[in-house]
Amino acid sequence: MRSPSGVTVTGAAVTEFNRRRDNSSFRDWSASAFEQALRMSGLERRDIDALVVASESDFFTLQLNPASVLASDLGLTGAACSRVEGGGASGQLAVHAAVRAIQSGHIDHVAVIGVDPSASQLDPATVKSLYSYSFDAWTDGMSGITSTALYALSFQAFMQHSGLGISELAEVTRQNRRNATHNPGAHLGRTHTLDEINQSPLIASPYRRLHCSPLSDGAAAIILSGSRLTPGARRAAPSIIGIGAASDTAHLGARENIGSFAAKTRAMQRALKEADIRIADIDTAELYDAYAGAQLQAIDALGLSDNIATDLLDGAFAPTGTMPVNISGGLMGQGAPVGATGVAQTANCALLLEGRYHPPLQPSALPRIALADTHGGICTTAAVTLLAGARA
Amino acid sequence: MIKHNLPLEYTLAEGWLQPFSSGILSGGAVARQCSSCTEVSFPPHRTCRCGDTRGSWITLDGRADIHYRTMGADGDFALVKFRGADTLCTVKLCNFAADQRVGQLRAATTGQSLPALHLYPVQEHT
Ligand SMILES: [Zn+2]
C-alpha cells in the first residue's frame, strides 16, 4: 500500500441527522460539527488555512456564498474559503478538493464542512420539483420525472442483468435501518418487518416509501492536515490514501448499460490505483444508498462482491460480516442532508478506523482500510475516497 | 422564524436546444444525427458519444417504444426509444394501459408554453 497523499484526518464529527424542530439553522449545525472536529484535532482556529463547504442548493439554505458566511461564524475570517457542489456527491468532492489543496504543498490544515437543510418548510411538491433539477433540467426535466422514478428505471435495468429484485431491496432496507437503531444520531433507526417494507406505499415501481432515504437536516465536519504537520496527539489518526472521481452521461438513456453505475467503477479504479491497494484489502464501506437498489448497484459497480444475493443473505454486509456496508445506517438509516452526506461518510470511516465509532457498531477487530462512496444525479458524478488506519 | 416569500418565474433561453424544444411543442421529435458516426441522439447530444460536434437536425415521427416503465405515487414514467433514434429518452406516460407499449408525442395545447416530453398511447395494427 502506498501513502502518497500525506493527508491525515485529524478531526471528524457528525451532528444528529433528523428534522430539527428546535428553531436551529444550518449555521448552528455547521458550528456544532466544526467545534467538535476542531477539538478532536487539537488544532486552533488560527491553524486552519482554508474552509471548503459542501452544500447542494441555495434553494434550501437561501444563502449564496455560504462558505463566506460560515467562515465568519466559525472565526475563520482570513482563511481561504470556497464551496464545492456536485449534487449528491458535493460532500465527497469537497473532501477531494481539500486533499488536493494539502497535496499542493501550499496549505497545511483544511476544514471541510458539509451541510444542507431539508427545507421541510416548503411544500413537498416544491421540494420534489427542486430535486428533479438535479438531472438535466432542460431535457429529462421536460418529462417532469422525479428522482425516485429515474432511479427506479435505472434499477429495473439492473434487475434484468443482475437477477436481483424485490427481496434484495427488502434485505438492504432491513439492514440499513437496523444498523441505524444503534446510531444515536440517525434519522431513521427502525426494525422493519418484510411486510411493512413490501406493503409501504408504492412511489415508483419497484420503489416503495421504505426503500427511499429521507431528506434530513444536519452537518458533518472533518479537519484534514498535511501528515508532517499533524499535531503530536493525533499521530494515530487515519489518513486518506486514495481518491477518485468520474462522470457519466447526464441522460440516463444515453448510457450503454442503463443499470450500471459506470462512473463509480471508473472513480474506484482511480482511487485504488492512487492508493496502490486491491479491493480485497477494503474492510468496510459507507455507500451511497439514496435508494435500496442504489446500494446494490454500488456494490456491483465497486466490485465489492462476486455474488451479491448470497453475500446479502449470509450477512456479509452486516456490521459483523466480512465486508460491512453502511455500518452507520447509510443515507436510508442515518439520514441524508445532501451536502453533509459525503463528509459524514468520510468522518464515519475515519472514526471506525480509529475505533472511536458508536460502541455498539464499532467492529471488534479494528478495520484497516475503509471506503467512502458518493454520487450525484443518477450516478452522473461519482466520487470515492479510500482511508487507512494508522496501523494499516 | 424568519419568513421569506420568493415567487420566481423563469424564462430560459433555449440556445442550441431550440430545434429540440420547438419540435416538442409542435408534437415532433427533432433529433441530432452525428456527421461522423451517424448516431441519432434524442434528446440531442451537443457532442456525440464518438466525440464529434458536427451534425444535423433530423425530424423523427415522434413514435416511441417503451423499454422500461415505472408507476406509483410519483406518476407514470418510462425510458423509451423514439423510432429512428439510437439512444433512450425519459418521458411521462399519459393514460397508458398496463400492457400498452407504444406511444406518440402530441403538439402542445393552446396556452401551454412549456415543452413537455409527454407520450400518449397509440394502437398499432400489425
Ligand atoms: Zn458520432
Side-chain angles (χ1 to χ4, degrees), chain B residues 21-63:
Chain B
S21 56
S22 56
I24 293 170
L25 274 175
S26 61
V30 179
R32 185 77 173 171
Q33 181 162 37
C34 174
S35 299
S36 182
C37 72
T38 72
E39 181 171 274
V40 177
S41 55
F42 186 87
H45 296 164
R46 187 189 291 256
T47 303
C48 178
R49 293 193 284 200
C50 77
D52 205 326
T53 55
R54 294 168 306 148
S56 51
W57 296 101
I58 60 168
T59 302
L60 312 178
D61 67 6
R63 188 157 292 197

Side-chain angles (χ1 to χ4, degrees), chain A residues 23 59 62 128 136 138-150 152-154 156-157 160 202-207 209 249 251-256 258, chain B residues 1 4 6 8 10 12-15 17 20-21 24 43-45 49 67-75 77-79 87-92 115-118:
Chain A
N23 199 29
F59 286 116
L62 216 54
K128 201 179 275 186
D136 186 333
W138 294 29
T139 56
D140 286 341
M142 288 181 184
S143 68
I145 196 163
T146 63
S147 169
T148 308
L150 203 59
L153 292 170
S154 170
Q156 286 190 15
Q160 262 184 16
L202 188 67
I203 306 299
S205 54
Y207 285 140
R209 176 157 294 149
T249 60
H251 299 144
L252 179 63
R255 298 181 186 175
E256 291 289 340
I258 303 289
Chain B
M1 294 302 230
H4 288 266
L6 198 66
L8 301 169
Y10 286 91
L12 302 176
E14 298 142 314
L17 282 169
F20 164 72
S21 56
I24 293 170
H45 296 164
R49 293 193 284 200
H67 283 232
Y68 302 100
R69 179 179 181 180
T70 180
M71 290 173 278
D74 273 12
F77 296 97
L79 267 171
T87 60
L88 299 181
C89 177
T90 53
V91 296
K92 180 176 177 60
L117 280 165
H118 291 180

